[in-house]
């Protein structure tokens, strides 16, 4: 939400999932592999669908509590759960942000925490990758991905010089506090079903298992594809019309979960 902007450590994430947490407010699941930003945050609570997406990566999951169903799952012994509730010394509250948007961590802290728990390797199947090349006939240099409302709707301007998509949110540039404008190399919009479920109160529930439509934006172009995820631990796949995996440009991949019926995806 606006009080959490600009976030730290987002620009260096390899993959970012963006989805509604509650009340139309979007939240990010940021995945890191090579990069180790010195500052990450604000760190917030987890939801079931973020656990679903994260499960395939065999990653440690850093969060501050979460919804009832998400905590039941992430604490069941099958995950590398590094919840702030049980590892408070690896996180801190910043004095220049109001709670709850003020919990931060660093890779120095997380690396030490992971080592102490024996979490030193991950085994997963990532997206197939390719070297990006700007299209000679771009058809998607201006992209609008509307997830909920004006404060959280996003826009991307294609920058041919860097072959990236300059991200905006709520009508303003979407920045990383330390590293500047967020500019993913490929943007993916997943069309997903979203409903309300009652856990510890009413929560959003996003269907992550199964398949649905999606649009990918690489190289200044738009391509309509199918997303598929066969079970919680299985990787998210992006498939062409023949059912073959699509190779995504190397670099940051931004994946937005767009609710069927209320969200929209447009480009020109």
């Amino acid at each position: 939400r606006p009080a959490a902007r600009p976030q730290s450590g987002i620009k260096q994430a390899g993959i970012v999932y963006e989805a509604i947490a509650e009340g139309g407010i979007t939240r990010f699941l940021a995945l890191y592999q090579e990069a180790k930003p010195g500052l990450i945050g604000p760190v917030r609570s987890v939801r079931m669908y973020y656990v679903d997406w994260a499960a395939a990566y065999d990653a440690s999951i850093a969060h501050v509590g979460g919804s009832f169903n998400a905590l039941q799952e992430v604490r069941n012994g099958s995950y590398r759960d590094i919840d702030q509730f049980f590892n408070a010394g690896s996180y801190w509250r910043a004095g220049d942000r109001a709670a709850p948007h003020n919990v931060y961590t660093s890779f120095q802290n997380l690396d030490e925490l992971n080592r102490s728990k024996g979490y030193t390797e991950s085994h997963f199947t990532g997206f197939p990758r390719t070297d990006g090349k700007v299209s000679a006939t771009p058809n998607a240099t201006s992209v609008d991905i509307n997830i909920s409302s004006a404060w959280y709707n996003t826009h991307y301007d294609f920058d041919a010089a860097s072959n990236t998509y300059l991200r905006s949110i709520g009508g303003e540039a979407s920045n990383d506090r330390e590293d500047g404008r967020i500019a993913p190399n490929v943007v993916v919009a997943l069309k997903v079903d979203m409903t309300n479920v009652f856990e510890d109160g009413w929560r959003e529930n996003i269907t992550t298992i199964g398949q649905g439509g999606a649009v990918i934006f690489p190289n200044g172009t738009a391509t309509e594809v199918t997303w598929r995820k066969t079970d919680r631990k299985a990787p998210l796949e992006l498939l062409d019309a023949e059912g073959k995996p699509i190779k995504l440009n190397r670099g940051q991949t931004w994946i937005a979960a767009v609710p069927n019926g209320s969200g929209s995806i447009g480009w020109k």
Side-chain angles (χ1 to χ4, degrees), residues 227-241:
W227 69 261
R228 181 175 69 190
K229 184 171 164 64
T230 56
D231 60 54
R232 182 168 287 142
K233 290 295 180 80
L236 176 69
E237 300 173 286
L238 297 169
L239 309 172
D240 65 16

Side-chain angles (χ1 to χ4, degrees), residues 9-236:
I10 298 295
K11 189 176 176 69
Q12 295 188 56
I15 298 175
V16 178
Y17 288 80
E18 177 183 21
I20 293 170
E22 272 88 41
I25 299 168
T26 51
R27 189 166 291 179
F28 305 151
L29 165 66
L31 292 145
Y32 299 90
Q33 191 172 18
E34 297 93 351
K36 294 186 174 185
L39 192 62
I40 304 169
V43 184
R44 298 297 308 276
S45 58
V46 73
R47 300 290 179 270
M48 189 65 241
Y49 36 97
Y50 300 114
V51 177
D52 289 345
W53 286 319
Y57 297 94
D58 192 25
S60 297
I61 302 176
H63 61 104
V64 184
S67 66
F68 178 80
N69 287 351
L71 294 181
Q72 291 290 107
E73 178 66 21
V74 83
R75 292 175 179 171
N76 71 10
S78 299
Y79 297 84
R80 300 175 179 191
D81 181 30
I82 51 173
D83 190 343
Q84 183 266 351
F85 282 11
F86 305 105
N87 303 281
S90 299
Y91 301 80
W92 69 88
R93 287 194 179 270
D96 58 348
R97 288 275 175 95
H101 314 287
N102 64 345
V103 177
Y104 285 81
T105 187
S106 68
F107 252 97
Q108 180 178 348
N109 286 17
L110 294 183
D111 279 347
E112 290 175 2
L113 179 60
N114 280 319
R115 279 193 297 270
S116 74
K117 295 177 178 291
Y119 301 157
T120 56
E121 290 185 349
S122 291
H123 301 276
F124 66 96
T125 301
F127 292 113
R129 297 287 184 169
T130 187
D131 293 326
K133 183 179 180 182
V134 175
S135 172
T137 55
N139 67 347
T141 57
S142 176
V143 178
D144 288 294
I145 300 178
N146 296 326
I147 297 180
S148 61
S149 66
W151 278 353
Y152 307 103
N153 289 339
T154 56
H155 176 80
Y156 295 88
D157 290 302
F158 180 64
D159 179 59
S162 59
N163 197 10
T164 62
Y165 285 83
L166 303 177
R167 176 181 158 86
S168 299
I169 187 167
E172 298 180 347
S174 182
N175 292 322
D176 180 295
R177 189 170 68 178
E178 284 68 42
D179 292 332
R181 188 72 174 269
I182 296 170
N185 299 78
V186 58
V187 178
V188 180
L190 305 179
K191 301 174 184 179
V192 297
D193 290 331
M194 190 172 76
T195 56
N196 278 122
V197 296
F198 192 82
E199 297 179 33
D200 47 345
W202 288 102
R203 301 287 191 182
E204 301 291 0
N205 182 60
I206 291 174
T207 301
T208 59
I209 313 302
Q211 66 179 45
V215 187
I216 61 170
F217 298 96
N219 308 316
T221 67
T223 305
E224 299 198 51
V225 303
T226 297
W227 69 261
R228 181 175 69 190
K229 184 171 164 64
T230 56
D231 60 54
R232 182 168 287 142
K233 290 295 180 80
L236 176 69

